[in-house]
Amino acid sequence: MLAYDADLELFRDNFKRYMNEHIAPHYEQWEREGIMPRSVWNSLGENGFLCVDVPEEYGGYGVATEYSLMLIEESARAGFASLSTAISCHSEIAAPYILHIANEAQKHYWLPKMVTGEVVGAIGMTEPGAGSDLQAMRSSAILQGDHYLLNGSKTFISNGQHADLVVLAAKTDPQARAKGVSLLLVDTHLDGFKKGTNLDKIGLHSQDTSELFYDNVKVPADQILGQAGQGFAYLMQELPRERTAIAATALGAIRGAIDITTAYVKERQAFGQAIGQFQNSRFVLAQAKIDELATAAFYNQNLALYKQGKLDVETAAALKSFSTDMQMKVADNLLQLFGGYGYMSEYSISRFFIDARIQRIYGGTNEIMKEIVARGMLGR
Ligand SMILES: Cc1cc2nc3c(=O)[nH]c(=O)nc-3n(C[C@H](O)[C@H](O)[C@H](O)COP(=O)(O)OP(=O)(O)OC[C@H]3O[C@@H](n4cnc5c(N)ncnc54)[C@H](O)[C@@H]3O)c2cc1C
């Protein structure tokens, strides 16, 4: 299992200090405005909090994966789920696709800019008619000499407003299903690429989520990621990391919800005593702790497997489903201990509750996660 790492703890303290200084004073306002300023990305990069596990030769710090995942976990724990998701899409999803699949020229071009925050990364899979059933995607990228002619649209793309780079799935062979899908590194500043409006969501308010449209966009042929037609194989390879990151957010959020509820039940009085003294409150809190411990154990086991290159698709899917169900359950049960105040936006437990909901949907719905686990058990 993962050993205690003093450097990691130091890095954690630095990040917490950074959030206290640079995120906490503004977060409420960003949530109200529905987006974080673009400068947050530059600030995160300048302070060394983006793509930290990217090797030094590509501009990163070359530290272990858990350093990168810690940032996701701690931002969620602090109640900044929008930030957690934003960094996750950039550092835990987009960057690893490039690091693991891109050629040297692509890595040297994109990764240093992602480390500094000059380039914001996003991942573009979902389309209006293709969510769980990604093979049904209609985006096409047809090779024409020195470029792919890209047409179609995506929806629900996290970091969509700020994105400079989208790791985008499109069919290079539109007649085929899975075997026709390829991944492209698409510069959002190319002619014909348009960002739709910032979508209005029930939670994760300052996390920009967008539709993307591309009309005869000429993507240079050298911006294909890996080999044409291998898009689905690459997805299978990289999704376990994405799902581990979603679990990091879940674990952080569970811990954050427990932190604030523990403090609240010691203060709030009813029937002449702190509400934390009622047996129900104690049992609800204890159950949340038990859920946290189980999630942490599963998460750490996953992380250890990932670091050994042994994490399979089924285990990561199981973790994603388990950890996000736990997150939702814990947030709901702990909100109850706040009574009516738990329903007030002013109390951050309400945000833990609403921001938990999406975790069971994106990154592959939890129903699809169970399909993956069952396929591993039954063979199809
Ligand atoms: C805030 C937000 C951020 C997102 N960020 C991104 C992003 O950055 N990049 C990206 O590409 N996508 C992103 N998504 C999209 C997300 O991954 C999809 O919404 C998700 O995969 C589900 O697809 P869908 O919405 O089309 O639902 P559908 O596929 O239409 O599913 C509807 C329901 O049917 C169920 N269902 C479907 N198929 C099956 C089946 N075979 N068995 C059992 N049940 C099934 C689903 O579980 C679900 O309950 C984001 C979504 C949101 C809301």
Side-chain angles (χ1 to χ4, degrees):
M1 293 312 291
L2 304 166
Y4 174 80
D5 178 341
D7 287 342
L8 175 60
E9 295 316 307
L10 213 74
F11 188 46
R12 190 189 303 276
D13 288 345
N14 281 343
F15 185 54
K16 284 187 187 171
R17 257 199 307 279
Y18 170 83
M19 286 194 294
N20 277 337
E21 207 174 311
H22 297 276
I23 305 294
H26 313 291
Y27 192 76
E28 298 276 346
Q29 188 193 336
W30 299 340
E31 285 282 288
R32 276 195 302 277
E33 291 171 353
I35 194 162
M36 301 184 300
R38 174 62 174 80
S39 57
V40 172
W41 287 103
N42 303 88
S43 166
L44 286 165
E46 278 159 23
N47 285 278
F49 296 128
L50 295 176
C51 306
V52 294
D53 59 344
V54 162
E56 283 167 293
E57 58 183 309
Y58 306 119
Y61 306 96
V63 293
T65 314
E66 57 264 33
Y67 283 65
S68 191
L69 287 165
M70 178 279 289
L71 303 169
I72 311 301
E73 187 194 326
E74 288 301 333
S75 43
R77 184 171 189 164
F80 308 138
S82 296
L83 182 71
S84 181
T85 303
I87 304 178
S88 184
C89 289
H90 178 90
S91 301
E92 301 301 322
I93 309 177
Y97 271 97
I98 300 172
L99 186 61
H100 299 148
I101 304 165
N103 60 37
E104 284 302 311
Q106 292 168 336
K107 287 187 206 183
H108 282 290
Y109 183 76
W110 290 111
L111 290 173
K113 298 184 182 74
M114 292 182 77
V115 174
T116 60
E118 181 186 338
V119 160
V120 175
I123 185 93
M125 302 287 155
T126 307
E127 298 184 1
S132 303
D133 182 12
L134 270 184
Q135 298 183 19
M137 75 175 59
R138 297 180 63 175
S139 289
S140 63
I142 306 303
L143 187 59
Q144 293 189 344
D146 64 353
H147 63 264
Y148 284 93
L149 196 64
L150 181 68
N151 278 291
S153 68
K154 297 285 172 190
T155 193
F156 300 151
I157 305 307
S158 303
N159 296 346
Q161 293 289 306
H162 285 320
D164 301 289
L165 163 69
V166 183
V167 177
L168 190 142
K171 285 193 172 163
T172 43
D173 178 358
Q175 311 313 325
R177 287 223 357 134
K179 293 228 158 62
V181 175
S182 302
L183 301 182
L184 294 159
L185 298 169
V186 180
D187 183 334
T188 63
H189 307 285
L190 290 172
D191 282 347
F193 195 101
K194 288 195 194 67
K195 296 168 178 175
T197 51
N198 190 11
L199 298 170
D200 188 16
K201 310 185 292 298
I202 60 169
L204 289 188
H205 292 298
S206 53
Q207 213 293 306
D208 49 309
T209 311
S210 307
E211 288 179 300
L212 302 175
F213 304 97
Y214 24 95
D215 188 16
N216 288 326
V217 174
K218 290 181 179 171
V219 180
D222 64 7
Q223 291 303 308
I224 187 148
L225 188 59
Q227 289 171 14
Q230 290 298 307
F232 255 82
Y234 297 143
L235 282 179
M236 290 306 110
Q237 178 191 311
E238 295 300 320
L239 278 167
R241 166 76 177 253
E242 171 173 351
R243 291 174 181 152
T244 304
I246 291 174
T249 297
L251 180 59
I254 290 171
R255 288 178 167 155
I258 293 174
D259 291 342
I260 57 174
T261 310
T262 309
Y264 185 79
V265 299
K266 285 184 191 162
E267 293 297 322
R268 176 76 177 168
Q269 301 280 318
F271 297 97
Q273 58 179 334
I275 58 165
Q277 292 308 311
F278 299 124
Q279 189 191 50
N280 178 66
S281 310
R282 300 168 67 82
F283 281 13
V284 167
L285 267 175
Q287 185 60 51
K289 184 71 191 173
I290 293 165
D291 294 340
E292 177 208 322
L293 293 171
T295 306
F298 195 175
Y299 171 76
N300 285 332
Q301 183 206 33
N302 241 257
L303 185 51
L305 287 171
Y306 180 80
K307 283 165 66 81
Q308 293 161 21
K310 291 182 186 161
L311 180 59
D312 57 62
V313 174
E314 292 84 1
T315 307
L319 173 71
K320 193 267 176 181
S321 176
F322 179 82
S323 60
T324 58
D325 280 351
M326 281 298 154
Q327 179 189 359
M328 190 73 243
K329 183 185 116 180
V330 167
D332 187 20
N333 289 344
L334 296 187
L335 184 151
Q336 189 73 12
L337 296 185
F338 283 73
Y341 297 95
Y343 202 65
M344 298 296 121
S345 306
E346 190 190 335
Y347 282 72
S348 58
I349 191 68
S350 67
R351 209 156 50 212
F352 276 97
F353 173 74
I354 205 72
D355 290 343
R357 193 61 188 83
I358 185 56
Q359 288 263 98
R360 299 174 64 221
I361 297 172
Y362 60 22
T365 66
N366 284 8
E367 293 73 37
I368 295 297
M369 296 306 99
K370 286 177 185 138
E371 275 298 325
I372 293 171
V373 174
R375 204 187 311 141
M377 297 165 75
L378 301 170
R380 59 185 286 255

